[in-house]
Amino acid sequence: MELTGERQFLLRGGRIMDPAQDVDFVGDVLVHEDRIEHIASEIDVPPSTKIVELSGKWIVPGLVDMHVHLREPGEEYKETIETGTRAAAAGGFTSVACMPNTCPSNDNSGITRFIIDRAKDSGRCRVFPVAAITVGQDGKGLTEFGDLLSAGAVAFSDDGLPVQNPAVMRLALEYSLNFNALIISHSEELELSKEGCMNEGKMSTRLGLKGIPVAAEEIAIFRDICLAKLTGARLHIAHVSTAGSVEIIRNAKAQGVRVTAETAPHYFSLTEEAVAGYNTFAKMNPPLRTERDRRAIIEGLRDGTIDAIATDHAPHNSLEKECEFQLAANGIIGLETALPLALKVLVNEEGFAPVQVMRLMSSNPASILDIPGGGLRPSGIADITIIDPEEEFTFTRDTIHSKSYNSPFLGLVFRGRAISTLLGGMPVFDANGLFDIGY
Amino acid sequence: MGKLKARHILGIAHLGMEEISFILDTAVSMKEIMERPIKKVPPLRGKTIVNLFFEPSTRTKLSFELAAKRLSADTVSIAASTSSVVKGETLIDTARNIEAMRPDIIVIRHSMSGAPYMLSRHVGSAIINAGDGTNEHPSQALLDLMTVREHFGRIDGLKVTIIGDIAHSRVAHSDILAFTRMGASVTVCGPATMMPPEPGELGAKVCLDLKDAIRDADVVMALRIQKERLGRLSPFPSEREYADRFGISTAIEPYLKKDVIIMHPGPINRGVELSPEIADGINSVILKQVTNGVAVRMALYTLLLADLQEHG
């Protein structure tokens, strides 16, 4: 595709799903420059217009991942903004929000600007930095919310190093009201999870590993919901993993607390059984739980208790993963398997409408973060993902775009994936050569 | 001689009933060698066994070393303090370097659960787990089985009670798996703070009342209170209260069966989990456990190396 001059092309005959407007029909999308020009069941175009035939394919808003770790600055040997956004594009994502636990951490506007600039130079998707709640993520003094928001931060979180002192969390929530800013809670009571390296239960008993009880997550979620209620601030719960957490969030929503929540694909597709054999690729925090928890997560996604699917994409080098289980780092990559897993588990096994999955993966996270995208509207930005629901592929190490390969899904055969990703009308990923860009 | 299906001894979890019986039978013939005036036989001449101990150990290391020497194998023992681990080398690199010197068996003790599993995936030598974190200590469970079988002539149908820090004890973990696999029933007892989250997963029943737990037991095993593992939050208020509520002493003796045997993996905290009268009493088989430990380890070496020879 010509990258200069006037860009106009027609996506023809695809199944158009826009969760923002709750529409699902077969039709055409006309893209002009970086905008969607027109959407209709049939659009007539002059013969000079490039036509991309998409019969049997899905046309959806570019996916939005509100929880990734891009590792830059500081841990470029695991991932860079360039490789991470390439992985995002290959997974169908056009926007990602990156967590502040870089080295140094994103607790000042200089780092926020650096991330945004690097993303503009090398990124294949939009990158929205999440800034730290406290300076150095040390749980003590608040960061400069106002300055960080002006620099481009979209939310605040001390992800990975949760704010332990409830008075500090209260301050953060209260101060966020001045900006209507979003506070994202990595909910973990560290005193209960200390030294734990997997879910506490049957598997931890069998493997002789110290467990993390579900209460470590549930107590922290309940605490932050109480504080959100007290302050009236907006709270988002990251990576929900237990049945009890889903119940706590459901009750809070029923009471009108301004709380939203996300879960990660591994929590609806795997259980603690995946740790068997001391598999460090199944080690993450929060840990994989039980089948009962997995079921509750799926029900939470079905009834809207959980608003979004976010990957918690956490690249690690073999240095951090090929070692004793207790020493291994937490986390797995997720950008390139999120959509295939959602299609496999939620659509094919659980009977979710595809448009509901798109809501969880695009319009909801976009509206929680209050960022552009997440819908398909005339004159809206042309962030579009094209999905082939039938394409089979094997997820292997040499097909991965991320710099790391720490995934428990290596070797799995999937049906359904993103085949093209358009960022502001520009193809940034094109697996099957629909746009002749060669990648 | 028959052979073992397992290529490594990583845990009781991976051994079937027949394999365990076979190991125990072999250990009985090894024990006979130990009773001879000349306690050395030649079958493992030219074989090399490396003991890689990342945790301090006296008796287990000595037991593995003596077992190897009695079979004429060459042994080298490496303690963590003198190893390259302190220089920052990873466990896999350490093991690969040792591997490059062509040992036949690596015996490993490590503070982290699963470490021997990881080694078995990265090196070609046979691996024997001599205790990994809070996971397993299979040779201890095998010597416990041998001691019980020697005393009662069977294991099937016996009632075994294990008292102490079950959650953090690799001995308890392996013993529960081993005794239940051989047909015994296992009850665990101790402070509720020291019970594993899902004891049923291993096949054990929990009984929080000491008297009830020991009343019908044929075997009572007291575990060492591992002070070094207690950490910042002590799971019981004091040793005094532990000894009073969970220690086996003359005060609790009336509730024990007359022909019960008392076991302990050692080293004993005298006056805490066992009173001296009980530890040294006629029902105690604690020193037989130590003797049988050498025999069981001789059996493991013999069977693993016979297997290696067969497979080239």
Side-chain angles (χ1 to χ4, degrees):
Chain A
M1 156 153 303
E2 280 295 309
L3 298 182
T4 53
E6 191 166 297
R7 253 178 312 132
Q8 176 155 309
F9 54 89
L10 184 73
L11 306 177
R12 187 153 81 184
R15 180 173 167 189
I16 300 168
M17 285 181 243
D18 181 9
Q21 301 172 79
D22 207 14
V23 296
D24 183 349
F25 65 99
V26 174
D28 302 348
V29 176
L30 182 64
V31 174
H32 180 74
E33 295 296 344
D34 63 344
R35 299 278 149 180
I36 293 171
E37 177 106 351
H38 190 34
I39 303 178
S41 48
E42 220 175 316
I43 300 173
D44 286 330
V45 287
S48 62
T49 305
K50 176 177 167 71
I51 291 173
V52 181
E53 290 291 349
L54 293 179
S55 165
K57 311 291 187 283
W58 298 352
I59 303 171
V60 305
L63 304 181
V64 177
D65 187 346
M66 63 184 302
H67 193 140
V68 302
H69 299 269
L70 296 180
R71 305 299 188 209
E72 192 179 351
E75 292 182 306
E76 293 83 356
Y77 71 103
K78 296 181 180 185
E79 191 83 286
T80 62
I81 290 170
E82 185 182 358
T83 58
T85 55
R86 200 183 296 159
F93 292 93
T94 53
S95 293
V96 299
C98 58
M99 288 295 154
N101 59 338
T102 44
C103 299
S105 74
N106 181 16
D107 63 0
N108 65 78
S109 56
I111 301 288
T112 301
R113 277 194 210 95
F114 167 83
I115 292 167
I116 288 171
D117 288 348
R118 290 288 289 160
K120 276 192 189 124
D121 289 348
S122 60
R124 293 213 187 161
C125 78
R126 298 176 209 286
V127 175
F128 297 93
V130 175
I133 294 173
T134 62
V135 177
Q137 292 178 271
D138 70 356
K140 293 177 184 146
L142 296 184
T143 56
E144 295 172 331
F145 283 16
D147 191 37
L148 285 159
L149 289 167
S150 300
V154 292
F156 298 90
S157 174
D158 275 1
D159 190 59
L161 292 165
V163 178
Q164 283 299 284
N165 184 337
V168 174
M169 195 60 169
R170 176 189 177 163
L171 278 182
L173 286 161
E174 277 175 346
Y175 191 54
S176 77
L177 291 169
N178 284 79
F179 312 96
N180 194 28
L182 181 71
I183 301 289
I184 300 176
S185 164
H186 164 119
S187 305
E188 178 182 0
E189 175 49 65
L190 293 177
E191 288 294 329
L192 277 173
S193 61
K194 204 170 269 184
E195 290 157 22
C197 56
M198 67 171 300
N199 184 50
E200 177 178 308
K202 289 183 178 174
M203 274 310 271
S204 69
T205 303
R206 259 158 66 188
L207 295 173
L209 290 169
K210 177 139 170 66
I212 300 173
V214 292
E217 173 173 322
E218 292 161 7
I219 288 172
I221 289 180
F222 192 69
R223 180 198 79 169
D224 287 349
I225 281 174
C226 291
L227 293 172
K229 200 159 133 185
L230 179 71
T231 57
R234 289 169 63 208
L235 175 71
H236 177 77
I237 308 292
H239 41 58
V240 171
S241 77
T242 82
S245 301
V246 175
E247 196 50 38
I248 292 166
I249 295 162
R250 188 176 283 132
N251 291 337
K253 285 188 163 186
Q255 291 172 40
V257 180
R258 295 170 78 197
V259 60
T260 51
E262 74 190 30
T263 191
H266 35 276
Y267 301 119
F268 63 68
S269 51
L270 293 177
T271 67
E272 60 176 10
E273 299 284 334
V275 181
Y278 301 91
N279 179 10
T280 58
F281 283 180
K283 183 181 178 185
M284 61 273 291
N285 188 23
L288 296 172
R289 307 286 189 181
T290 65
E291 179 61 15
R292 183 175 155 267
D293 296 296
R294 190 183 80 90
R295 298 280 352 141
I297 296 288
I298 291 169
E299 292 318 307
L301 287 165
R302 201 192 301 274
D303 72 11
T305 300
I306 300 174
D307 306 86
I309 294 168
T311 62
D312 197 2
H313 179 78
H316 288 295
N317 189 271
S318 62
L319 285 173
E320 289 90 21
K321 285 293 195 183
E322 281 184 16
C323 59
E324 296 87 325
F325 192 85
Q326 278 165 267
L327 297 182
N330 283 309
I332 62 170
I333 55 167
L335 284 164
E336 294 168 74
T337 46
L339 178 65
L341 283 167
L343 296 176
K344 171 179 150 55
V345 177
L346 300 180
V347 175
N348 296 335
E349 292 170 19
E350 299 293 331
F352 279 44
V355 71
Q356 165 68 355
V357 168
M358 300 313 144
R359 180 173 294 119
L360 293 162
M361 297 186 76
S362 67
S363 60
N364 279 358
S367 80
I368 293 167
L369 293 174
D370 194 21
I371 58 172
L376 298 172
R377 277 198 193 80
S379 84
I381 191 85
D383 284 359
I384 298 171
T385 296
I386 296 166
I387 295 168
D388 184 341
E390 300 300 330
E391 182 162 309
E392 282 198 8
F393 74 104
T394 308
F395 184 64
T396 57
R397 201 172 143 177
D398 40 290
T399 62
I400 291 174
H401 294 75
S402 170
K403 208 166 182 174
S404 296
Y405 58 89
N406 52 312
S407 169
F409 303 111
L410 288 172
L412 221 64
V413 180
F414 289 103
R415 206 180 81 201
R417 67 182 298 191
I419 53 168
S420 299
T421 307
L422 303 174
L423 183 69
M426 293 280 267
V428 285
F429 172 71
D430 188 26
N432 297 349
L434 295 176
F435 297 90
D436 313 320
I437 58 164
Y439 50 77
Chain B
M1 185 172 292
K3 68 183 178 66
L4 218 51
K5 267 186 279 169
R7 227 172 70 63
H8 309 283
I9 304 294
L10 299 176
I12 300 294
H14 304 278
L15 294 174
M17 201 174 92
E18 281 176 25
E19 275 177 299
I20 292 174
S21 297
F22 181 41
I23 294 168
L24 297 182
D25 293 344
T26 310
V28 170
S29 46
M30 293 297 157
K31 188 169 181 180
E32 184 268 317
I33 295 169
M34 291 169 59
E35 307 298 339
R36 296 178 193 170
I38 302 208
K39 299 177 177 58
K40 191 160 174 162
V41 289
L44 301 190
R45 204 163 53 194
K47 300 291 178 189
T48 313
I49 295 167
V50 174
N51 289 321
L52 194 51
F53 275 61
F54 293 93
E55 272 189 341
S57 159
T58 310
R59 82 187 54 207
T60 306
K61 195 163 76 178
L62 179 61
S63 183
F64 271 107
E65 278 183 26
L66 279 180
K69 289 184 196 307
R70 285 182 178 158
L71 295 167
S72 304
D74 296 313
T75 62
V76 189
S77 292
I78 303 162
S81 55
T82 61
S83 78
S84 48
V85 175
V86 288
K87 296 175 194 156
E89 192 177 45
T90 68
L91 176 58
I92 293 173
D93 281 338
T94 303
R96 280 181 182 152
N97 276 279
I98 293 169
E99 172 83 355
M101 300 182 215
R102 307 282 181 265
D104 298 287
I105 294 181
I106 298 176
V107 178
I108 175 176
R109 165 168 289 195
H110 198 279
S111 61
M112 291 185 193
S113 303
Y117 289 74
M118 189 184 68
L119 277 197
S120 72
R121 288 196 290 261
H122 286 89
V123 302
S125 313
I127 306 284
I128 297 179
N129 178 1
D132 62 327
T134 51
N135 181 38
E136 282 223 48
H137 192 352
S139 62
Q140 176 73 40
L142 291 166
L143 74 90
D144 288 340
L145 288 177
M146 181 180 178
T147 308
V148 169
R149 199 177 76 165
E150 193 174 71
H151 184 88
F152 290 101
R154 67 191 168 102
I155 296 165
D156 187 46
L158 293 177
K159 293 194 167 93
V160 178
T161 294
I162 307 176
I163 301 154
D165 187 359
I166 309 299
H168 300 103
S169 169
R170 54 195 177 209
V171 174
H173 188 169
S174 288
D175 269 329
I176 294 167
L177 294 174
F179 278 102
T180 52
R181 186 142 309 155
M182 301 310 283
S185 65
V186 178
T187 300
V188 295
C189 179
T193 51
M194 292 173 136
M195 295 298 113
E198 297 277 352
E201 192 63 18
L202 306 176
K205 276 199 314 278
V206 175
C207 174
L208 293 177
D209 184 289
L210 182 64
K211 287 169 192 161
D212 288 345
I214 63 174
R215 211 183 295 274
D216 299 320
D218 303 297
V219 176
V220 169
M221 185 184 303
L223 298 175
R224 196 171 104 78
I225 290 303
Q226 291 172 295
K227 292 172 195 164
E228 69 275 14
R229 278 188 211 277
L230 296 183
R232 22 167 216 126
L233 291 171
S234 178
F236 54 87
S238 64
E239 282 186 18
R240 177 175 173 269
E241 176 145 307
Y242 186 90
D244 183 46
R245 295 287 153 158
F246 304 102
I248 306 294
S249 66
T250 44
I252 203 89
E253 213 176 356
Y255 297 91
L256 289 168
K257 275 170 94 166
K258 283 278 168 284
D259 58 346
V260 70
I261 58 170
I262 304 290
M263 303 177 78
H264 191 292
I268 306 170
N269 294 304
R270 283 178 178 260
V272 185
E273 61 265 4
L274 287 180
S275 73
E277 297 80 8
I278 300 290
D280 304 332
I282 51 162
N283 299 84
S284 169
V285 295
I286 293 170
L287 293 175
K288 288 184 183 158
Q289 290 175 267
V290 179
T291 306
N292 289 341
V294 180
V296 155
R297 287 158 185 139
M298 289 169 78
L300 291 178
Y301 287 148
T302 306
L303 295 174
L304 281 178
L305 289 178
D307 187 46
L308 280 186
Q309 269 158 355
E310 215 158 294
H311 289 87

